[in-house]
Amino acid sequence: MKSASSLKTIAVLVSSLLLPVTSLAANSDFNTAFKDYNLALENNDAVLELQYAQLAFDLGKLKFGEDNINSANLALNLATALTKNAQKSQAMTFYQLALDIYRTNDDTIDDIELIDPLTLLADATTNNKQARSLLNEAINISEDSDDPLLHAKTLMLAFKRLVNTEFYTPRVKQFLIDAEAIYVQHLPTNSADRVYATYLLGSVLLAEKQYSQAETKLLQAIKEYSVLDYDHPFELSAHAKLVEIYSLQDEPSKATEHCLAIGNMKP
């Protein structure tokens, strides 16, 4: 008959032999879940995307550790999937978790890696003051980077998030102006980001009754949209805004020209 100590030794050995097998199984399950998540993402299946994002997150925490950057990225995936499924309050929890993990690892990552979690949380939160603070931090980081297009993108995100809040100021408007200038300098005329920034700036100038400047930007947007092989909705909107401008300026022939352009547009 084996002694108690011998049985304990055998139990420890069996346990140690099982650990790698368990680890491999968890790893395999994570890889499958993450593959299924990406497949759902490609197929635009929001329900399955959420299901597998949650599973990948749960298994990923076990695989990588709760404070690992990979777990932060899985939390961002889950938060985005929750947002797509109209579960915005739950999404906030995981956007915040992801940012917290990034901050925990700030001595091992580049500051530039904070921009995504900062801007995603800013977009998700209903607290406009918090959004402004997060976006200011993201802008400072992007400004110090050597990537002007990243800076322009961050400025655009900040403008769109704050434009309809109590924190809309001339400085926030300047975000759009600076972003458009960067896009004009660094992107071709048919770039979607560049044309949209020009169109949006024209729209803002029109709302502020700066008709001459608005006209210039909207005409430029139409010119750049015209190179597309289809009629963009913002091109139609730009024509409509020019009709408004010319009507206010008592220039009926120009207004009619853009009315006709709208009538000839094809989706």
Side-chain angles (χ1 to χ4, degrees):
M1 183 176 180
K2 289 183 168 53
S3 67
S5 60
S6 298
L7 290 171
K8 190 178 293 183
T9 302
I10 293 171
V12 170
L13 286 171
V14 170
S15 176
S16 65
L17 287 170
L18 286 173
L19 282 174
V21 176
T22 305
S23 179
L24 284 171
N27 185 56
S28 176
D29 289 343
F30 168 77
N31 290 339
T32 300
F34 192 65
K35 180 179 179 181
D36 289 338
Y37 161 77
N38 281 302
L39 184 60
L41 195 63
E42 291 174 13
N43 292 334
N44 295 313
D45 189 327
V47 174
L48 284 180
E49 180 185 338
L50 174 55
Q51 177 183 327
Y52 289 118
Q54 179 71 67
L55 184 58
F57 172 74
D58 292 338
L59 294 170
K61 283 193 302 179
L62 298 175
K63 175 179 169 62
F64 302 113
E66 292 190 0
D67 292 331
N68 187 278
I69 287 295
N70 289 317
S71 295
N73 292 328
L74 292 169
L76 288 177
N77 292 344
L78 177 53
T80 301
L82 285 162
T83 301
K84 290 181 182 179
N85 284 271
Q87 299 180 42
K88 201 164 185 178
S89 60
Q90 295 95 319
M92 276 285 301
T93 301
F94 290 98
Y95 280 129
Q96 185 66 63
L97 174 63
L99 180 58
D100 291 343
I101 296 172
Y102 268 93
R103 291 197 191 283
T104 299
N105 290 273
D106 62 359
D107 57 338
T108 61
I109 64 171
D110 293 331
D111 285 348
I112 200 171
E113 293 182 59
L114 281 169
I115 292 177
D116 275 350
L118 285 167
T119 53
L120 286 167
L121 179 56
D123 188 58
T125 182
T126 57
N127 185 326
N128 294 331
K129 185 175 182 180
Q130 180 191 22
R132 180 183 63 171
S133 176
L134 293 165
L135 290 165
N136 282 336
E137 183 179 355
I139 288 169
N140 289 337
I141 294 171
S142 67
E143 190 172 19
D144 290 338
S145 73
D146 294 323
D147 188 341
L149 292 179
L150 175 63
H151 185 46
K153 178 183 177 182
T154 308
L155 290 169
M156 285 290 289
L157 290 170
F159 172 81
K160 289 191 289 183
R161 175 61 181 83
L162 298 174
V163 63
N164 293 315
T165 73
E166 68 272 29
F167 296 109
Y168 181 68
T169 62
R171 179 173 178 264
V172 174
K173 177 185 174 183
Q174 192 64 42
F175 293 164
L176 174 59
I177 295 171
D178 291 348
E180 197 248 359
I182 293 170
Y183 284 143
V184 168
Q185 181 180 356
H186 293 278
L187 292 177
T189 56
N190 63 345
S191 164
D193 288 336
R194 171 177 169 168
V195 186
Y196 175 64
T198 299
Y199 162 78
L200 189 58
L201 181 54
S203 301
V204 170
L205 292 167
L206 172 57
E208 296 179 350
K209 299 183 179 181
Q210 299 181 45
Y211 299 126
S212 178
Q213 295 178 58
E215 176 189 13
T216 299
K217 292 298 180 183
L218 292 169
L219 285 171
Q220 183 62 35
I222 288 172
K223 179 181 178 182
E224 293 172 1
Y225 277 128
S226 67
V227 304
L228 302 175
D229 56 5
Y230 64 95
D231 291 326
H232 196 284
F234 289 145
E235 182 183 359
L236 185 153
S237 179
H239 280 297
K241 292 177 187 298
L242 284 166
V243 171
E244 180 182 349
I245 291 172
Y246 294 135
S247 297
L248 289 167
Q249 294 179 334
D250 195 22
E251 297 185 75
S253 62
K254 289 185 177 181
T256 300
E257 176 187 341
H258 288 279
C259 282
L260 292 172
I262 292 171
N264 290 328
M265 292 184 73
K266 298 176 182 179

